[in-house]
Amino acid sequence: MWMMTAGLAGMQSGSFLISCARYTSSTPFPRLADHTSPTLTILPQPNWDAIRTPYGTSHQSKAQLNKHIDSLTEELQKAKEVIAYRERQEEANSAMLVVQDMTLQKMNETLHV
């Protein structure tokens, strides 16, 4: 919490949020970043059908198994990229919610003075 407060104090809009100053109409509302998701357009989507093994084949050759393993490995790497991106996105969204909450608390304090 101390690190977040110190980080906010270093920004113009953030320092206002932790100060004792009242919110006025001349105080600009902090603009939050537009957080669009490039998951469907930029990140490769895993092919979840690769998980399924072909039905009706009780035996597969070594070459077929190696091909299936390579396919699963490739799809697992894609899934790992998507998960890592979504974790970073969740962190950014959480930070944005903290700033929004602090701004709304500041506005609420001003309204109920």
Side-chain angles (χ1 to χ4, degrees):
M1 189 64 145
W2 180 84
M3 290 175 57
M4 183 184 72
T5 305
L8 284 172
M11 302 174 1
Q12 183 178 357
S13 61
S15 62
F16 170 75
L17 291 176
I18 59 173
S19 72
C20 294
R22 296 275 181 229
Y23 197 92
T24 64
S25 61
S26 64
T27 307
F29 191 78
R31 303 281 300 172
L32 298 176
D34 181 24
H35 208 69
T36 56
S37 175
T39 305
L40 297 177
T41 56
I42 296 173
L43 292 175
Q45 293 298 304
N47 177 11
W48 298 113
D49 292 333
I51 295 172
R52 295 184 187 92
T53 56
Y55 292 108
T57 57
S58 60
H59 179 73
Q60 292 181 340
S61 69
K62 184 176 180 179
Q64 289 173 319
L65 288 173
N66 283 337
K67 182 179 177 185
H68 190 67
I69 290 169
D70 291 342
S71 172
L72 288 171
T73 303
E74 182 180 327
E75 299 309 320
L76 183 60
Q77 180 60 36
K78 289 178 186 177
K80 183 181 176 184
E81 290 175 23
V82 170
I83 289 169
Y85 170 78
R86 295 225 172 135
E87 286 174 346
R88 289 189 305 271
Q89 186 179 27
E90 186 175 336
E91 287 177 14
N93 287 340
S94 295
M96 289 168 53
L97 286 172
V98 168
V99 171
Q100 284 179 335
D101 183 57
M102 291 177 77
T103 302
L104 292 173
Q105 284 181 16
K106 189 74 141 176
M107 293 171 86
N108 199 16
E109 287 173 9
T110 301
L111 286 173
H112 297 288
V113 171

